[in-house]
């Protein structure tokens, strides 16, 4: 089982019947060169990359835009079109007045598998006490959280909110809450590794590619910034493959992962077994 834990479906054709909404997504995400993709194209990309499942992440910045960019109901609609290929996460703008109600609905009625939050875009620190009820709901439903961490190219983002060290208090005070630091917290990848070493409830995904090409960037991060042995020997149960598609190409990133010199048993964990554990099963 090969799972991509970090996919944004903002430009999937089935949820882009409204040209106004599509234009808003292009502008709000600062992604302009790609059009909408029919599901047949998505499935072909998956096949070329060897992927079996995609974790679809919504984007709810309603305090900024007045509406979610990708709503929970749209994620649910995509999952219903391909339940054997898509895993759906919920999204809320956690400081919006309806966030707690929306999250319970997403878990209870829509059956979504976890929560995606973006501290840099939604302008909150992970230890902000105003999020306590959001975290309570995730713990009550046994749902994990994927947090954006590190650099974001989206407009109106501030990296100070998403530096890996900012997640330590949350990880320490809620050991039963599984959290994933997306993008491995780049450029603070050693901070991410520190948190993973110290807290078994902290995971990270590999959705990073900011210079050069996938192989060169992965080689720099996962063999130099972090020695490959750190993952292969110590952190192997907490790293999950993620592409951050559509900003980065799944095919090249999946290929680069296989060239890092990890043991086959480690690759099996990173490709899918850790994601299944993070999700609490498939």
């Amino acid at each position: 089982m090969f799972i991509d834990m970090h996919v944004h479906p903002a430009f999937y054709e089935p949820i882009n019947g409204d040209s106004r909404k599509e234009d808003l997504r292009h502008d709000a995400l600062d992604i302009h060169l790609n059009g909408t993709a029919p599901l047949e194209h998505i499935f072909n990309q998956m096949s070329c990359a060897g992927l079996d499942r995609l974790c679809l992440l919504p984007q709810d910045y309603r305090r900024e835009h007045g509406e979610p960019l990708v709503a929970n109901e749209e994620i649910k609609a995509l999952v219903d079109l391909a339940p054997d290929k898509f895993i759906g996460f919920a999204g809320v703008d956690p400081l919006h007045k309806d966030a707690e109600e929306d999250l319970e609905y997403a878990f209870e009625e829509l059956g979504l598998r976890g929560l995606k939050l973006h501290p840099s875009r939604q302008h909150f620190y992970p230890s902000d006490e105003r999020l306590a009820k959001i975290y309570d709901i995730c713990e009550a439903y046994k749902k994990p959280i994927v947090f954006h961490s590190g650099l974001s190219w989206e407009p109106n983002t501030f990296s100070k909110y998403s530096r890996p060290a900012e997640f330590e208090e949350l990880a320490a005070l809620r050991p039963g809450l599984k959290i994933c630091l997306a993008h491995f917290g780049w450029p603070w990848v050693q901070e991410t590794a520190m948190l993973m070493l110290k807290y078994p409830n902290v995971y990270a995904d590999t959705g990073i590619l900011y210079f050069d090409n996938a192989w060169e960037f992965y080689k720099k991060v996962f063999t130099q910034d972090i020695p490959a042995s750190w993952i292969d020997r110590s952190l192997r149960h907490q790293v999950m493959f993620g592409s951050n598609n559509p900003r980065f190409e799944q095919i090249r990133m999946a290929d680069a992962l296989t060239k890092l010199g990890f043991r086959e048993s480690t690759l099996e964990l990173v490709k899918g077994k850790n994601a299944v554990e993070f999700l609490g099963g498939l």
Side-chain angles (χ1 to χ4, degrees):
M1 179 70 70
F2 195 177
I3 300 172
D4 186 341
M5 279 297 297
H6 198 121
V7 176
H8 294 289
F11 302 107
Y12 284 17
E13 191 174 80
I15 62 169
N16 275 284
D18 181 346
S19 59
R20 179 201 64 84
K21 190 67 171 285
E22 183 182 346
D23 289 343
L24 173 63
R25 288 168 174 162
H26 281 292
D27 290 338
L29 299 175
D30 196 20
I31 297 176
H32 298 281
L33 297 181
N34 62 307
T36 58
L39 290 188
E40 291 78 8
H41 175 70
I42 301 302
F43 299 154
N44 182 60
Q45 282 190 319
M46 291 177 66
S47 178
C48 290
L51 292 163
D52 300 295
R53 306 288 288 272
L54 307 182
C55 185
L56 305 183
L57 304 178
Q59 290 156 300
D60 187 344
Y61 313 142
R62 71 180 71 186
R63 285 180 299 127
E64 181 181 352
H65 293 287
E67 61 184 310
L69 297 185
V70 178
N72 295 331
E73 290 79 6
E74 292 174 307
I75 296 292
K76 169 63 172 172
L78 290 170
V79 171
D80 286 346
L81 289 172
D84 61 327
K85 297 185 184 301
F86 295 152
I87 301 163
F89 263 48
V92 297
D93 196 333
L95 301 182
H96 188 273
K97 62 182 179 63
D98 297 328
E100 296 154 27
E101 180 181 346
D102 289 345
L103 185 58
E104 292 218 50
Y105 178 78
F107 290 160
E108 186 71 31
E109 302 298 329
L110 301 181
L112 298 177
R113 302 295 306 277
L115 173 63
K116 169 67 191 310
L117 296 175
H118 195 326
S120 293
R121 185 69 179 262
Q122 295 166 323
H123 299 174
F124 69 89
Y125 287 102
S127 59
D128 191 322
E129 292 183 356
R130 292 175 293 175
L131 272 76
K133 291 185 178 179
I134 294 293
Y135 299 148
D136 288 343
I137 292 169
C138 289
E139 288 196 285
Y141 282 89
K142 295 181 170 57
K143 304 292 188 181
I145 305 177
V146 172
F147 284 99
H148 173 88
S149 182
L151 169 71
S152 174
W153 271 338
E154 292 183 15
N156 193 29
T157 59
F158 300 99
S159 299
K160 67 178 184 177
Y161 293 111
S162 294
R163 184 163 182 162
E166 295 292 343
F167 294 89
E168 181 166 17
E169 185 175 347
L170 175 63
L173 296 180
R174 294 182 182 261
L177 178 64
K178 295 176 184 175
I179 65 175
C180 172
L181 303 187
H183 318 291
F184 224 97
W186 191 92
W188 299 288
V189 293
Q190 292 189 358
E191 283 188 14
T192 301
M194 176 271 291
L195 291 178
M196 295 165 71
L197 182 66
K198 192 173 179 182
Y199 303 101
N201 57 323
V202 176
Y203 294 67
D205 77 41
T206 65
I208 48 177
L209 177 56
Y210 304 115
F211 299 102
D212 309 311
N213 58 52
W215 163 235
E216 290 175 330
F217 199 81
Y218 269 28
K219 182 179 179 182
K220 173 67 167 62
V221 172
F222 295 119
T223 70
Q224 298 174 32
D225 298 339
I226 298 175
S229 59
W230 288 14
I231 293 176
D232 212 18
R233 298 173 188 171
S234 299
L235 306 177
R236 62 200 303 261
H237 292 281
Q238 293 159 269
V239 179
M240 302 183 290
F241 175 76
S243 70
N244 197 27
N245 183 263
R247 202 175 290 276
F248 307 136
E249 289 190 13
Q250 294 164 318
I251 297 170
R252 291 188 173 91
M253 299 177 81
D255 179 65
L257 180 71
T258 66
K259 298 176 179 177
L260 293 171
F262 297 143
R263 288 175 289 168
E264 187 61 35
S265 59
T266 298
L267 281 175
E268 290 178 3
L269 290 166
V270 174
K271 283 183 172 183
K273 288 184 177 180
N274 291 341
V276 173
E277 175 66 23
F278 182 73
L279 292 165
L282 287 182

